[in-house]
mmCIF file of all heavy atoms in Angstrom:
data_model
loop_
_atom_site.group_PDB
_atom_site.id
_atom_site.type_symbol
_atom_site.label_atom_id
_atom_site.label_comp_id
_atom_site.label_asym_id
_atom_site.label_seq_id
_atom_site.Cartn_x
_atom_site.Cartn_y
_atom_site.Cartn_z
ATOM 1 N N ILE A 888 8.417 -24.221 -0.708
ATOM 2 C CA ILE A 888 8.087 -24.247 0.712
ATOM 3 C C ILE A 888 7.967 -22.810 1.202
ATOM 4 O O ILE A 888 8.949 -22.163 1.601
ATOM 5 C CB ILE A 888 9.151 -25.011 1.512
ATOM 6 C CG1 ILE A 888 9.211 -26.462 1.048
ATOM 7 C CG2 ILE A 888 8.840 -24.966 3.013
ATOM 8 C CD1 ILE A 888 10.291 -27.280 1.720
ATOM 9 N N SER A 889 6.771 -22.269 1.111
ATOM 10 C CA SER A 889 6.484 -20.941 1.650
ATOM 11 C C SER A 889 4.981 -20.802 1.820
ATOM 12 O O SER A 889 4.197 -21.509 1.183
ATOM 13 C CB SER A 889 7.028 -19.838 0.730
ATOM 14 O OG SER A 889 6.351 -19.816 -0.499
ATOM 15 N N TYR A 890 4.599 -19.885 2.676
ATOM 16 C CA TYR A 890 3.183 -19.674 2.998
ATOM 17 C C TYR A 890 2.864 -18.186 2.937
ATOM 18 O O TYR A 890 3.732 -17.329 3.115
ATOM 19 C CB TYR A 890 2.868 -20.214 4.388
ATOM 20 C CG TYR A 890 2.951 -21.721 4.481
ATOM 21 C CD1 TYR A 890 4.175 -22.361 4.627
ATOM 22 C CD2 TYR A 890 1.805 -22.512 4.414
ATOM 23 C CE1 TYR A 890 4.265 -23.741 4.702
ATOM 24 C CE2 TYR A 890 1.878 -23.895 4.492
ATOM 25 C CZ TYR A 890 3.116 -24.507 4.629
ATOM 26 O OH TYR A 890 3.200 -25.878 4.692
ATOM 27 N N ASN A 891 1.578 -17.906 2.725
ATOM 28 C CA ASN A 891 1.120 -16.532 2.614
ATOM 29 C C ASN A 891 0.322 -16.124 3.841
ATOM 30 O O ASN A 891 -0.311 -16.960 4.488
ATOM 31 C CB ASN A 891 0.254 -16.361 1.353
ATOM 32 C CG ASN A 891 0.185 -14.926 0.888
ATOM 33 O OD1 ASN A 891 -0.558 -14.117 1.424
ATOM 34 N ND2 ASN A 891 0.980 -14.610 -0.129
ATOM 35 N N PHE A 892 0.355 -14.858 4.125
ATOM 36 C CA PHE A 892 -0.431 -14.285 5.218
ATOM 37 C C PHE A 892 -1.918 -14.549 5.002
ATOM 38 O O PHE A 892 -2.648 -14.848 5.943
ATOM 39 C CB PHE A 892 -0.146 -12.783 5.252
ATOM 40 C CG PHE A 892 -0.723 -12.045 6.421
ATOM 41 C CD1 PHE A 892 -0.150 -12.139 7.682
ATOM 42 C CD2 PHE A 892 -1.813 -11.208 6.257
ATOM 43 C CE1 PHE A 892 -0.667 -11.430 8.762
ATOM 44 C CE2 PHE A 892 -2.336 -10.492 7.332
ATOM 45 C CZ PHE A 892 -1.761 -10.605 8.578
ATOM 46 N N TRP A 893 -2.354 -14.460 3.747
ATOM 47 C CA TRP A 893 -3.747 -14.710 3.380
ATOM 48 C C TRP A 893 -3.869 -15.959 2.524
ATOM 49 O O TRP A 893 -2.900 -16.397 1.892
ATOM 50 C CB TRP A 893 -4.319 -13.497 2.633
ATOM 51 C CG TRP A 893 -4.534 -12.309 3.530
ATOM 52 C CD1 TRP A 893 -5.085 -12.315 4.771
ATOM 53 C CD2 TRP A 893 -4.189 -10.949 3.248
ATOM 54 N NE1 TRP A 893 -5.117 -11.039 5.286
ATOM 55 C CE2 TRP A 893 -4.585 -10.181 4.377
ATOM 56 C CE3 TRP A 893 -3.607 -10.303 2.158
ATOM 57 C CZ2 TRP A 893 -4.392 -8.795 4.444
ATOM 58 C CZ3 TRP A 893 -3.423 -8.923 2.223
ATOM 59 C CH2 TRP A 893 -3.812 -8.188 3.352
ATOM 60 N N ALA A 894 -5.048 -16.522 2.471
ATOM 61 C CA ALA A 894 -5.276 -17.795 1.783
ATOM 62 C C ALA A 894 -4.970 -17.698 0.292
ATOM 63 O O ALA A 894 -5.085 -16.634 -0.326
ATOM 64 C CB ALA A 894 -6.724 -18.249 1.984
ATOM 65 N N LYS A 895 -4.584 -18.847 -0.286
ATOM 66 C CA LYS A 895 -4.246 -18.926 -1.707
ATOM 67 C C LYS A 895 -5.512 -19.185 -2.515
ATOM 68 O O LYS A 895 -5.787 -20.300 -2.958
ATOM 69 C CB LYS A 895 -3.225 -20.040 -1.937
ATOM 70 C CG LYS A 895 -1.849 -19.759 -1.364
ATOM 71 C CD LYS A 895 -1.128 -18.708 -2.185
ATOM 72 C CE LYS A 895 0.342 -18.618 -1.798
ATOM 73 N NZ LYS A 895 1.059 -17.644 -2.622
ATOM 74 N N ARG A 896 -6.290 -18.132 -2.703
ATOM 75 C CA ARG A 896 -7.483 -18.224 -3.534
ATOM 76 C C ARG A 896 -7.724 -16.855 -4.166
ATOM 77 O O ARG A 896 -7.129 -15.859 -3.748
ATOM 78 C CB ARG A 896 -8.713 -18.645 -2.714
ATOM 79 C CG ARG A 896 -9.122 -17.677 -1.634
ATOM 80 C CD ARG A 896 -10.407 -18.097 -0.927
ATOM 81 N NE ARG A 896 -10.893 -17.051 -0.051
ATOM 82 C CZ ARG A 896 -10.548 -16.917 1.230
ATOM 83 N NH1 ARG A 896 -9.722 -17.796 1.766
ATOM 84 N NH2 ARG A 896 -11.028 -15.927 1.949
ATOM 85 N N ASN A 897 -8.576 -16.792 -5.154
ATOM 86 C CA ASN A 897 -8.835 -15.527 -5.820
ATOM 87 C C ASN A 897 -9.429 -14.505 -4.850
ATOM 88 O O ASN A 897 -10.305 -14.833 -4.042
ATOM 89 C CB ASN A 897 -9.794 -15.733 -6.993
ATOM 90 C CG ASN A 897 -9.143 -16.494 -8.127
ATOM 91 O OD1 ASN A 897 -7.916 -16.470 -8.278
ATOM 92 N ND2 ASN A 897 -9.937 -17.181 -8.920
ATOM 93 N N ASN A 898 -8.933 -13.293 -4.928
ATOM 94 C CA ASN A 898 -9.433 -12.181 -4.107
ATOM 95 C C ASN A 898 -9.331 -12.452 -2.604
ATOM 96 O O ASN A 898 -10.158 -11.971 -1.832
ATOM 97 C CB ASN A 898 -10.884 -11.840 -4.464
ATOM 98 C CG ASN A 898 -11.077 -11.547 -5.946
ATOM 99 O OD1 ASN A 898 -11.572 -12.395 -6.670
ATOM 100 N ND2 ASN A 898 -10.670 -10.379 -6.392
ATOM 101 N N SER A 899 -8.315 -13.215 -2.203
ATOM 102 C CA SER A 899 -8.157 -13.525 -0.780
ATOM 103 C C SER A 899 -7.423 -12.409 -0.046
ATOM 104 O O SER A 899 -7.479 -12.343 1.181
ATOM 105 C CB SER A 899 -7.394 -14.838 -0.611
ATOM 106 O OG SER A 899 -6.082 -14.720 -1.134
ATOM 107 N N TRP A 900 -6.714 -11.559 -0.761
ATOM 108 C CA TRP A 900 -5.980 -10.474 -0.121
ATOM 109 C C TRP A 900 -6.968 -9.391 0.334
ATOM 110 O O TRP A 900 -8.001 -9.166 -0.266
ATOM 111 C CB TRP A 900 -4.931 -9.899 -1.069
ATOM 112 C CG TRP A 900 -5.455 -9.506 -2.433
ATOM 113 C CD1 TRP A 900 -5.920 -8.281 -2.815
ATOM 114 C CD2 TRP A 900 -5.584 -10.357 -3.577
ATOM 115 N NE1 TRP A 900 -6.325 -8.297 -4.118
ATOM 116 C CE2 TRP A 900 -6.131 -9.563 -4.620
ATOM 117 C CE3 TRP A 900 -5.299 -11.700 -3.839
ATOM 118 C CZ2 TRP A 900 -6.396 -10.070 -5.893
ATOM 119 C CZ3 TRP A 900 -5.562 -12.201 -5.108
ATOM 120 C CH2 TRP A 900 -6.101 -11.404 -6.123
ATOM 121 N N PHE A 901 -6.628 -8.739 1.422
ATOM 122 C CA PHE A 901 -7.510 -7.760 2.053
ATOM 123 C C PHE A 901 -8.938 -8.307 2.161
ATOM 124 O O PHE A 901 -9.885 -7.728 1.628
ATOM 125 C CB PHE A 901 -7.497 -6.427 1.285
ATOM 126 C CG PHE A 901 -6.172 -5.726 1.339
ATOM 127 C CD1 PHE A 901 -5.252 -5.861 0.309
ATOM 128 C CD2 PHE A 901 -5.841 -4.959 2.443
ATOM 129 C CE1 PHE A 901 -4.017 -5.238 0.378
ATOM 130 C CE2 PHE A 901 -4.603 -4.323 2.512
ATOM 131 C CZ PHE A 901 -3.686 -4.469 1.478
ATOM 132 N N PRO A 902 -9.096 -9.452 2.842
ATOM 133 C CA PRO A 902 -10.414 -10.095 2.930
ATOM 134 C C PRO A 902 -11.458 -9.193 3.578
ATOM 135 O O PRO A 902 -11.146 -8.386 4.464
ATOM 136 C CB PRO A 902 -10.145 -11.340 3.790
ATOM 137 C CG PRO A 902 -8.891 -11.028 4.533
ATOM 138 C CD PRO A 902 -8.076 -10.178 3.624
ATOM 139 N N ASN A 903 -12.679 -9.344 3.099
ATOM 140 C CA ASN A 903 -13.820 -8.553 3.581
ATOM 141 C C ASN A 903 -13.670 -7.061 3.288
ATOM 142 O O ASN A 903 -14.357 -6.232 3.884
ATOM 143 C CB ASN A 903 -14.042 -8.761 5.096
ATOM 144 C CG ASN A 903 -14.270 -10.215 5.447
ATOM 145 O OD1 ASN A 903 -15.126 -10.869 4.872
ATOM 146 N ND2 ASN A 903 -13.480 -10.727 6.377
ATOM 147 N N GLY A 904 -12.768 -6.749 2.351
ATOM 148 C CA GLY A 904 -12.589 -5.359 1.952
ATOM 149 C C GLY A 904 -13.574 -4.971 0.860
ATOM 150 O O GLY A 904 -14.324 -5.802 0.334
ATOM 151 N N LEU A 905 -13.546 -3.702 0.511
ATOM 152 C CA LEU A 905 -14.482 -3.189 -0.492
ATOM 153 C C LEU A 905 -13.791 -2.793 -1.798
ATOM 154 O O LEU A 905 -14.447 -2.680 -2.828
ATOM 155 C CB LEU A 905 -15.233 -1.965 0.069
ATOM 156 C CG LEU A 905 -16.061 -2.198 1.336
ATOM 157 C CD1 LEU A 905 -16.658 -0.880 1.817
ATOM 158 C CD2 LEU A 905 -17.149 -3.231 1.095
ATOM 159 N N PHE A 906 -12.467 -2.630 -1.760
ATOM 160 C CA PHE A 906 -11.786 -2.100 -2.941
ATOM 161 C C PHE A 906 -10.491 -2.839 -3.300
ATOM 162 O O PHE A 906 -10.348 -3.359 -4.403
ATOM 163 C CB PHE A 906 -11.503 -0.605 -2.720
ATOM 164 C CG PHE A 906 -10.765 0.041 -3.859
ATOM 165 C CD1 PHE A 906 -11.412 0.329 -5.056
ATOM 166 C CD2 PHE A 906 -9.418 0.360 -3.729
ATOM 167 C CE1 PHE A 906 -10.718 0.920 -6.111
ATOM 168 C CE2 PHE A 906 -8.724 0.950 -4.775
ATOM 169 C CZ PHE A 906 -9.383 1.233 -5.972
ATOM 170 N N LEU A 907 -9.552 -2.908 -2.346
ATOM 171 C CA LEU A 907 -8.218 -3.415 -2.651
ATOM 172 C C LEU A 907 -8.206 -4.881 -3.067
ATOM 173 O O LEU A 907 -7.351 -5.301 -3.843
ATOM 174 C CB LEU A 907 -7.290 -3.214 -1.440
ATOM 175 C CG LEU A 907 -7.030 -1.759 -1.045
ATOM 176 C CD1 LEU A 907 -6.126 -1.691 0.170
ATOM 177 C CD2 LEU A 907 -6.417 -0.978 -2.198
ATOM 178 N N ASN A 908 -9.161 -5.681 -2.559
ATOM 179 C CA ASN A 908 -9.169 -7.103 -2.907
ATOM 180 C C ASN A 908 -9.687 -7.359 -4.318
ATOM 181 O O ASN A 908 -9.739 -8.503 -4.765
ATOM 182 C CB ASN A 908 -9.978 -7.904 -1.885
ATOM 183 C CG ASN A 908 -11.434 -7.472 -1.827
ATOM 184 O OD1 ASN A 908 -11.807 -6.454 -2.394
ATOM 185 N ND2 ASN A 908 -12.251 -8.255 -1.136
ATOM 186 N N ARG A 909 -10.064 -6.314 -5.030
ATOM 187 C CA ARG A 909 -10.514 -6.477 -6.419
ATOM 188 C C ARG A 909 -9.355 -6.428 -7.414
ATOM 189 O O ARG A 909 -9.528 -6.759 -8.595
ATOM 190 C CB ARG A 909 -11.508 -5.371 -6.777
ATOM 191 C CG ARG A 909 -12.763 -5.368 -5.911
ATOM 192 C CD ARG A 909 -13.723 -4.288 -6.351
ATOM 193 N NE ARG A 909 -14.906 -4.243 -5.495
ATOM 194 C CZ ARG A 909 -15.948 -3.456 -5.715
ATOM 195 N NH1 ARG A 909 -15.945 -2.648 -6.771
ATOM 196 N NH2 ARG A 909 -16.975 -3.471 -4.886
ATOM 197 N N PHE A 910 -8.158 -6.028 -6.948
ATOM 198 C CA PHE A 910 -7.031 -5.839 -7.848
ATOM 199 C C PHE A 910 -5.850 -6.698 -7.406
ATOM 200 O O PHE A 910 -5.371 -6.573 -6.279
ATOM 201 C CB PHE A 910 -6.615 -4.369 -7.874
ATOM 202 C CG PHE A 910 -7.726 -3.446 -8.297
ATOM 203 C CD1 PHE A 910 -8.519 -2.819 -7.341
ATOM 204 C CD2 PHE A 910 -7.987 -3.239 -9.637
ATOM 205 C CE1 PHE A 910 -9.549 -1.974 -7.716
ATOM 206 C CE2 PHE A 910 -9.025 -2.395 -10.025
ATOM 207 C CZ PHE A 910 -9.806 -1.763 -9.070
ATOM 208 N N LYS A 911 -5.395 -7.555 -8.302
ATOM 209 C CA LYS A 911 -4.300 -8.478 -7.977
ATOM 210 C C LYS A 911 -3.007 -7.734 -7.641
ATOM 211 O O LYS A 911 -2.124 -8.267 -6.988
ATOM 212 C CB LYS A 911 -4.068 -9.441 -9.139
ATOM 213 C CG LYS A 911 -3.231 -10.645 -8.749
ATOM 214 C CD LYS A 911 -3.234 -11.711 -9.820
ATOM 215 C CE LYS A 911 -2.472 -12.950 -9.340
ATOM 216 N NZ LYS A 911 -2.483 -14.017 -10.368
ATOM 217 N N HIS A 912 -2.892 -6.513 -8.105
ATOM 218 C CA HIS A 912 -1.712 -5.697 -7.815
ATOM 219 C C HIS A 912 -1.463 -5.596 -6.308
ATOM 220 O O HIS A 912 -0.324 -5.467 -5.865
ATOM 221 C CB HIS A 912 -1.896 -4.293 -8.409
ATOM 222 C CG HIS A 912 -0.807 -3.339 -8.058
ATOM 223 N ND1 HIS A 912 0.432 -3.353 -8.670
ATOM 224 C CD2 HIS A 912 -0.740 -2.345 -7.112
ATOM 225 C CE1 HIS A 912 1.195 -2.412 -8.144
ATOM 226 N NE2 HIS A 912 0.507 -1.788 -7.195
ATOM 227 N N PHE A 913 -2.531 -5.668 -5.512
ATOM 228 C CA PHE A 913 -2.409 -5.492 -4.066
ATOM 229 C C PHE A 913 -2.245 -6.813 -3.313
ATOM 230 O O PHE A 913 -2.191 -6.811 -2.087
ATOM 231 C CB PHE A 913 -3.631 -4.743 -3.536
ATOM 232 C CG PHE A 913 -3.734 -3.342 -4.043
ATOM 233 C CD1 PHE A 913 -4.723 -2.990 -4.956
ATOM 234 C CD2 PHE A 913 -2.841 -2.371 -3.638
ATOM 235 C CE1 PHE A 913 -4.823 -1.700 -5.435
ATOM 236 C CE2 PHE A 913 -2.927 -1.069 -4.112
ATOM 237 C CZ PHE A 913 -3.917 -0.731 -5.024
ATOM 238 N N ALA A 914 -2.174 -7.922 -4.034
ATOM 239 C CA ALA A 914 -1.971 -9.219 -3.370
ATOM 240 C C ALA A 914 -0.562 -9.286 -2.781
ATOM 241 O O ALA A 914 0.416 -8.896 -3.423
ATOM 242 C CB ALA A 914 -2.173 -10.347 -4.368
ATOM 243 N N LEU A 915 -0.453 -9.768 -1.560
ATOM 244 C CA LEU A 915 0.854 -9.883 -0.917
ATOM 245 C C LEU A 915 1.599 -11.129 -1.391
ATOM 246 O O LEU A 915 0.985 -12.184 -1.570
ATOM 247 C CB LEU A 915 0.694 -9.971 0.594
ATOM 248 C CG LEU A 915 0.296 -8.720 1.361
ATOM 249 C CD1 LEU A 915 0.215 -9.048 2.847
ATOM 250 C CD2 LEU A 915 1.280 -7.597 1.127
ATOM 251 N N PRO A 916 2.926 -11.037 -1.551
ATOM 252 C CA PRO A 916 3.705 -12.255 -1.781
ATOM 253 C C PRO A 916 3.811 -13.048 -0.477
ATOM 254 O O PRO A 916 3.444 -12.543 0.600
ATOM 255 C CB PRO A 916 5.071 -11.719 -2.214
ATOM 256 C CG PRO A 916 5.168 -10.385 -1.563
ATOM 257 C CD PRO A 916 3.770 -9.827 -1.529
ATOM 258 N N ASP A 917 4.305 -14.267 -0.543
ATOM 259 C CA ASP A 917 4.544 -15.048 0.666
ATOM 260 C C ASP A 917 5.596 -14.335 1.520
ATOM 261 O O ASP A 917 6.376 -13.515 1.016
ATOM 262 C CB ASP A 917 5.022 -16.451 0.311
ATOM 263 C CG ASP A 917 3.998 -17.221 -0.521
ATOM 264 O OD1 ASP A 917 2.845 -16.768 -0.619
ATOM 265 O OD2 ASP A 917 4.377 -18.265 -1.088
#
């Protein structure tokens, strides 16, 4: 039971970005 700031899909972190959303290292935890 937890939720993320960004959607649970590939490359969803830093949406509409040009660089950071290409690397899973920058994905936020819930």
